[in-house]
Amino acid sequence: MSSLFPNYGRWPISIVKGEGNYLWDDQGKRYLDLVSGIAVTSLGNVPPKVKAKLQEQIDTLWHCSNLFNIPQQEALADKLVSISCGDRAFFCNSGAEANEAAIKLARRYAQRVLNEDRYEVITFTQSFHGRTLATLTATGQDKVKDGFSPLPEGFKTVPYNDGKALRGAITDKTIAIMLEMVQGEGGVNPADPAFVEEIKALCAEHNLLIIVDEVQTGIGRTGKWFAYQHYDVEPDIITMAKGLGSGFPIGAIVGKEKLAQAFGPGTHGTTFGGNPLAATAGLATLETIAEDGYIQKVNEMGEYLRTQLEGLKASHPTIVEVRGKGLLVGMEMDGPVGDVVATLREEGILLLMAGPNVIRILPPFTITKEEIDEAVQALARVLDQTYAARG
Ligand SMILES: *Cc1c(COP(=O)(O)O)cnc(C)c1O
């Protein structure tokens, strides 16, 4: 019997080694990694440049706490501000914590800067914002809330991509609208540009904040530094985590200057956030993406992957839709995809699901056309077998 809580539905594989676009299990079997640790290891497994910077930092200093100035954290903040529309950064350790910080920042801005009794955050169906009590309440999926009542007040969920429903949900208590520009866990659903326009109009009308959850979409994953940059919108707060540290745990928010007063000394914090090791991982990741032109590669490989999958769709009517941006790609089928994902895993190709009917593909930015071809050919074969067997 395992000494672990059984809270994860784990795959029956023990991964012991990673290099580039591949992982190896304890039996020596090799897997093509189109999951990237759920959009985390964007530069592949154990990327050499990040490894070198981390090794140097390991020899120098690991942790000193936010009692001190941390030069690496300052440098990472400068970098994040330079690639986004934000002016100030705060560092934490995960996506849920980044969203928690964003929610706290929005509430405190309303209550201590605007001096208004507003606290409500509106979120959307099929969203995913994390597993803390506040962020699971913000999440638009009932399964993550089951058995955890009482849930905190101040959240309301309305249908995604439905401007009318959103307009009807705003009250004099609303302070922020929080959304993923491409919903990751909820099925790889991009926001409609018209919906984003409606959000902008409503935020201007009611003096609301726009919080974009870029925990999965951020740091180049969709072919821009942040997914909101595909749209004509400037969020007030951007949250991020997964792809920021190449596997070293780090989360962050970046926000507009007007919010700075709401997070004065002592208002919010965390022991580990942005420590020298974590900040080094973040900095090395961002520098490598910029220096080696990975944003461009994400666009090229993303387009190639989607084109190949569209080709597959033409000959496989069981494929309903191919969607996504950059290397966050979803393929919706007309039935459950669990078998397909499991069979491909046995064949040495790792893919993910996003809900029961959607195959989610999150390759590292280092993926090659040959590897995409190999995966798509295997997918075609497995789809044929699976659907032939089902009749
Ligand atoms: C994964 C994810 C989170 C939660 O991040 P954790 O690091 O698991 O807390 C929040 N929002 C989105 C969009 C995510 O994909």
Side-chain angles (χ1 to χ4, degrees), residues 134-151:
T135 58
L136 76 80
T137 306
T139 293
Q141 302 186 45
D142 287 341
K143 64 181 184 195
V144 308
K145 308 184 190 196
D146 181 53
F148 294 120
S149 58
L151 300 178

Side-chain angles (χ1 to χ4, degrees), residues 19-291:
E19 193 185 314
N21 303 335
Y22 294 90
L23 292 168
W24 283 262
D25 71 14
D26 59 354
Q27 309 296 306
K29 180 170 169 169
R30 189 180 86 154
Y31 299 85
L32 177 59
D33 180 9
L34 304 184
V35 171
S36 306
I38 317 186
V40 168
T41 51
S42 296
L43 295 171
N45 294 286
V46 198
K49 287 188 178 176
V50 180
K51 175 177 153 180
K53 293 267 172 60
L54 275 176
Q55 277 176 334
E56 210 175 289
Q57 191 60 46
I58 278 185
D59 287 337
T60 318
L61 177 70
W62 297 10
H63 179 85
C64 60
S65 100
N66 287 300
L67 291 166
F68 299 91
N69 293 320
I70 301 175
Q72 298 88 342
Q73 193 184 120
E74 293 279 354
L76 180 56
D78 288 347
K79 185 89 196 162
L80 287 176
V81 162
S82 78
I83 60 173
S84 72
C85 64
D87 305 298
R88 300 277 191 155
F90 162 80
F91 294 98
C92 53
N93 314 287
S94 68
E97 269 180 276
N99 288 333
E100 188 88 19
I103 293 162
K104 285 183 69 179
L105 180 57
R107 284 189 179 185
R108 205 161 193 287
Y109 173 70
Q111 293 169 32
R112 292 292 178 272
V113 178
L114 300 178
N115 291 309
E116 293 172 355
D117 178 28
R118 295 200 278 156
Y119 51 83
E120 196 172 73
V121 177
I122 300 180
T123 64
F124 299 96
T125 49
Q126 298 306 115
S127 62
F128 183 79
H129 299 301
R131 302 287 195 157
T132 64
L133 280 170
T135 58
L136 76 80
T137 306
T139 293
Q141 302 186 45
D142 287 341
K143 64 181 184 195
V144 308
K145 308 184 190 196
D146 181 53
F148 294 120
S149 58
L151 300 178
E153 286 174 45
F155 296 91
K156 197 184 264 180
T157 304
V158 302
Y160 191 59
N161 279 332
D162 183 342
K164 228 176 177 175
L166 175 59
R167 183 169 280 275
I170 293 168
T171 70
D172 60 359
K173 298 297 177 204
T174 310
I175 183 60
I177 294 169
M178 177 161 154
L179 77 157
E180 295 158 87
M181 303 307 296
V182 183
Q183 293 185 326
E185 303 301 312
V188 191
N189 311 309
D192 289 341
F195 178 59
V196 176
E197 287 305 313
E198 180 75 354
I199 289 175
K200 274 165 62 183
L202 289 170
C203 286
E205 207 174 300
H206 299 274
N207 195 21
L208 309 178
L209 301 174
I210 302 180
I211 304 172
V212 296
D213 178 346
E214 298 256 9
V215 170
Q216 186 155 160
T217 51
I219 320 298
R221 173 57 55 185
T222 69
K224 302 245 186 211
W225 280 112
F226 296 100
Y228 80 81
Q229 293 164 338
H230 290 282
Y231 300 81
D232 179 25
V233 64
E234 281 208 3
D236 298 287
I237 307 174
I238 304 154
T239 70
M240 64 201 80
K242 287 188 168 100
L244 182 55
S246 292
F248 198 99
I250 179 170
I253 68 169
V254 174
K256 292 281 194 193
E257 184 61 33
K258 69 177 181 189
L259 302 168
Q261 319 168 49
F263 261 4
T267 51
H268 187 57
T270 164
T271 301
F272 294 118
N275 85 4
L277 265 184
T280 296
L283 209 47
T285 302
L286 293 182
E287 283 170 1
T288 307
I289 291 173
E291 283 163 15

Side-chain angles (χ1 to χ4, degrees), residues 228-374:
Y228 80 81
Q229 293 164 338
H230 290 282
Y231 300 81
D232 179 25
V233 64
E234 281 208 3
D236 298 287
I237 307 174
I238 304 154
T239 70
M240 64 201 80
K242 287 188 168 100
L244 182 55
S246 292
F248 198 99
I250 179 170
I253 68 169
V254 174
K256 292 281 194 193
E257 184 61 33
K258 69 177 181 189
L259 302 168
Q261 319 168 49
F263 261 4
T267 51
H268 187 57
T270 164
T271 301
F272 294 118
N275 85 4
L277 265 184
T280 296
L283 209 47
T285 302
L286 293 182
E287 283 170 1
T288 307
I289 291 173
E291 283 163 15
D292 296 352
Y294 277 116
I295 303 268
Q296 183 58 30
K297 287 180 193 167
V298 170
N299 282 305
E300 283 167 21
M301 290 303 136
E303 191 172 326
Y304 185 74
L305 173 58
R306 281 195 308 278
T307 305
Q308 300 311 105
L309 293 175
E310 286 290 353
L312 204 57
K313 178 170 177 268
S315 55
H316 292 75
T318 50
I319 300 174
V320 176
E321 192 182 25
V322 177
R323 53 185 184 242
K325 289 190 195 300
L327 286 173
L328 167 51
V329 175
M331 192 170 86
E332 184 177 342
M333 307 288 300
D334 67 359
V337 296
D339 296 358
V340 174
V341 171
T343 307
L344 279 164
R345 191 165 64 229
E346 281 157 27
E347 295 196 6
I349 294 173
L350 302 179
L351 299 167
L352 210 55
M353 292 166 65
N357 293 357
V358 179
I359 295 176
R360 184 170 28 153
I361 313 177
L362 296 163
F365 303 172
T366 46
I367 197 78
T368 64
K369 281 188 178 171
E370 292 69 31
E371 287 160 343
I372 289 174
D373 288 343
E374 184 196 333

